Amino acid sequence: MSGANCALVTSAAVWVLSWLGCGRRMRTVAAGVALGGFVLIVGPDTSVQRAAIMGAVLLVSSYGGKRAVALPALGLAIAVLLIIDPWQAWQPGFALSVAATGGIIVCAPELTEGLRRLTGAPMWIALPVAVSAAAQFACGPLLLLLQDGIPASGLLANVLAGPAAPAGTGLGLAALLAGPVSPALGQALVVAASFPARWVEATAQVAAELPFARWDWVPGVPGALLLCGVEAALVAAWLLATGRLTRSGARVIRPWMSLGLGPRKLRTWVAVLLGAAAGALVGPTLVAPVMQQAEVPSGWRIVACDVGQGDAILLRGGGAAPGEAVLIDTGDDETQLRACLRQFGISRIPLLVLTHDDRDHIGAVGAILPQTARVLIAPPTREDREHRPMVAQLEAADVSWEVGSAGDSGDDAGVAWALLAPDRGLTPASRNAASLVMRADTGGLTALLLADTGEAEQGPLLAKYDPAQTPAGDAAAAGALVADVVKVAHHGSRDQHPGMYGAVHARVGLVSVGEGNGYGHPARDLLTSLARADTLALRTDLLGSIAISPGDHRGAGPTIWAARGRPVSSDE
């Protein structure tokens, strides 16, 4: 976009002076002045600097009567920027800008020609598709280092947003020039420029929500290297198929002139390379997700997602629609949360419960807001005062939300749930004290989710709901803590009431905890308390994501499935 904007500004200056009858050198000087003014207005962004230096190199070449060549100009721009600030080499924006520009320069002309030849598409369609594909191809491995998955909808989004970018730039610059002369005209042009900007924003939002908008892929450096291998195989197959590695003549790349492949060997090599690329592409994007979902038990009711040092619990009743579940907290790792939702086939969240505002419980909320119907949040605390970034994020996403408190209940995704704490009207002192405590009935399994409560919060819960402590005849309160499964409070910290887990009588205790965490979670005292209560402790740091299903026959304990273990019964 930065290169396109710079080209738009310089082309406009050249067109105006051409219309006035000025010569080539005068037009080149005017284009350089316009380019410098544009950079001053926009600011010294990395991509703008790169585009401006490239434009300056091309203008100097044109001024001297030389044929402008873009690739050496890109190389000079990179060298100049790194000499000025070598640390830019570590900035993702710089790397993506350079990679996209290089991909467009090298690949877009050939792709445009190929699209026109194969499909008969006119230039105004073939060119933007080729430019977007070339940029996506070049940036793909780098993007995997910044986010999970391959953004397959990016090609469509860039093609649709492309025409709006120069329109917004042109109208914005016109507003800037017209404003001092006629404020009314400047304001009108600003309003006009807002429509292309809204078009770009809407395109991004719609494209991100399309089916299969993002393909599964191996994360991190291994995924980037694998994608580089796939792209290298595709490029090699194309070079062989078009004769650039085998034929003699002007189009030959010299080091490979001695290959001397015959027609049959040539076709064989092309087929092998294409097959290898297709196999490597289909494996992570299609085969691996299908296999992961196939091994998950279909009748699960409760899942503790492995999101590191954080909480993300899925609840689903027997009558839930396909692909939907209640989600309790999100953890702080969007990649791990998305992976868990994909593995268990969850695409819609009718209710998201954010038990409190700590990052290890809400940090990844942005990853699932587009598929969330409504949100239940904890009450404000004296720590938050009036500013809650999480609330601002929900409102910006236009997601319905409400504050929960004891007595609230509902039925979502086949799960009958009720909140046990905190009491309505209180302003807790801390976020942990504000934690929403939920009891859920999934139809076959009941669960008690204690969020990040500590001994100070668990004591009143026991006084209110423990059958041994509640007043006689209070049937509604008595036994509310008893459940088949308990989500252990605060990742298994030492801050627990000694009688809590004995009162719950759970067969299974889920400890959502990060591997090798520095907090000492889960604490040895906590694990001892669970053992005394005959509660089987299951830890996500050891087992990965954990799914719990009702027992296979009457009286049997829950069946447990773990991503890094075998299916077992809690009776074992």
Side-chain angles (χ1 to χ4, degrees):
M1 289 299 181
S2 297
N5 289 335
C6 290
L8 176 67
V9 171
T10 55
S11 298
V14 169
W15 179 82
V16 170
L17 291 185
S18 297
W19 183 72
L20 294 175
C22 297
R24 175 176 55 83
R25 293 194 173 185
M26 180 62 72
R27 296 196 301 267
T28 303
V29 172
V33 173
L35 180 61
F38 177 75
V39 173
L40 289 175
I41 292 171
V42 174
D45 183 79
T46 300
S47 61
V48 175
Q49 291 180 4
R50 185 263 311 152
I53 293 175
M54 286 185 62
V57 172
L58 297 177
L59 288 174
V60 170
S61 299
S62 175
Y63 185 87
K66 301 291 185 179
R67 176 174 169 270
V69 182
L71 198 57
L74 175 61
L76 181 58
I78 296 171
V80 170
L81 290 174
L82 291 181
I83 289 172
I84 295 173
D85 181 9
W87 292 106
Q88 287 191 87
W90 290 97
Q91 296 178 4
F94 178 82
L96 290 172
S97 176
V98 169
T101 305
I104 292 170
I105 293 172
V106 174
C107 302
E110 295 286 350
L111 286 175
T112 303
E113 179 185 346
L115 286 173
R116 297 192 67 187
R117 184 173 59 253
L118 292 175
T119 66
M123 177 63 76
W124 63 273
I125 293 179
L127 181 59
V129 171
V131 168
S132 181
Q136 191 91 350
F137 187 85
C139 292
L142 292 174
L143 289 172
L144 288 172
L145 301 177
L146 304 175
Q147 57 190 13
D148 62 309
I150 297 176
S153 63
L155 176 61
L156 176 63
N158 285 330
V159 170
L160 295 178
T169 299
L171 291 170
L173 287 174
L176 182 69
L177 297 174
V181 178
S182 173
L185 177 59
Q187 181 64 30
L189 289 171
V190 167
V191 173
S194 70
F195 290 103
R198 291 174 183 171
W199 172 259
V200 172
E201 179 186 15
T203 299
Q205 291 177 346
V206 171
E209 296 175 11
L210 290 174
F212 308 108
R214 186 172 294 275
W215 296 349
D216 292 325
W217 194 259
V218 181
V221 174
L225 294 176
L226 178 60
L227 186 57
C228 284
V230 171
E231 293 182 349
L234 291 173
V235 170
W238 172 73
L239 290 174
L240 285 171
T242 55
R244 284 166 169 77
L245 298 185
T246 59
R247 294 177 186 170
S248 60
R251 299 178 71 187
V252 167
I253 299 176
R254 293 280 175 181
W256 288 275
M257 284 186 65
S258 61
L259 285 178
L261 296 177
R264 178 175 296 181
K265 288 185 177 181
L266 177 64
R267 289 194 298 269
T268 300
W269 274 105
V270 171
V272 168
L273 289 169
L274 290 177
L281 186 64
V282 170
T285 58
L286 183 61
V287 177
V290 171
M291 293 299 293
Q292 286 180 346
Q293 291 189 21
E295 69 179 4
V296 169
S298 59
W300 65 266
R301 294 289 184 267
I302 304 168
V303 170
C305 290
D306 180 13
V307 291
Q309 185 70 9
D311 275 9
I313 309 294
L314 290 169
L315 304 175
R316 183 183 69 175
E324 74 172 21
V326 174
L327 177 61
I328 315 297
D329 292 327
T330 69
D332 190 25
D333 190 315
E334 293 188 1
T335 299
Q336 290 181 303
L337 178 62
R338 288 195 187 102
C340 182
L341 296 181
R342 285 194 301 267
Q343 184 170 22
F344 291 91
I346 301 304
S347 57
R348 181 176 180 274
I349 301 170
L351 175 65
L352 169 63
V353 181
L354 301 176
T355 59
H356 59 295
D357 290 10
D358 285 347
R359 277 201 64 84
D360 58 339
H361 290 254
I362 67 168
V365 68
I368 45 88
L369 286 181
Q371 61 203 84
T372 300
R374 64 191 183 96
V375 182
L376 199 62
I377 66 173
T381 70
R382 292 198 289 271
E383 285 182 350
D384 299 317
R385 298 180 182 177
E386 296 181 359
H387 178 62
R388 297 181 72 182
M390 183 261 293
V391 171
Q393 186 176 8
L394 296 177
E395 292 179 342
D398 196 24
V399 175
S400 174
W401 62 274
E402 58 183 300
V403 175
S405 58
D408 292 342
S409 61
D411 193 323
D412 297 272
V415 177
W417 57 270
L419 294 182
L420 307 183
D423 290 334
R424 193 180 305 276
L426 297 180
T427 303
S430 66
R431 292 175 178 175
N432 285 349
S435 292
L436 298 179
V437 176
M438 174 183 283
R439 188 179 195 276
D441 187 345
T442 65
L445 284 177
T446 56
L448 179 67
L449 301 106
L450 294 172
D452 273 5
T453 54
E455 183 174 4
E457 293 76 44
Q458 292 170 11
L461 276 175
L462 289 169
K464 185 175 182 180
Y465 296 111
D466 184 5
Q469 301 186 40
T470 52
D474 191 353
L481 296 181
V482 178
D484 300 309
V485 179
V486 60
K487 202 292 294 183
V488 172
H490 205 179
H491 321 293
S493 75
R494 289 184 174 84
D495 186 17
Q496 312 275 348
H497 193 286
M500 187 73 225
Y501 297 101
V504 178
H505 297 295
R507 297 209 183 186
V508 175
L510 294 174
V511 186
S512 186
V513 61
E515 185 176 0
N517 69 87
Y519 303 98
H521 296 164
R524 183 175 301 176
D525 294 346
L526 177 277
L527 296 176
T528 301
S529 296
L530 292 176
R532 288 174 179 169
D534 291 327
T535 298
L536 176 64
L538 300 176
R539 299 164 49 174
T540 57
D541 61 334
L542 301 179
L543 300 174
S545 294
I546 302 165
I548 303 178
S549 309
D552 295 334
H553 54 275
R554 186 178 300 275
T559 299
I560 300 157
W561 175 92
R564 298 199 290 268
R566 62 180 181 86
V568 299
S569 169
S570 61
D571 294 329
E572 294 187 26

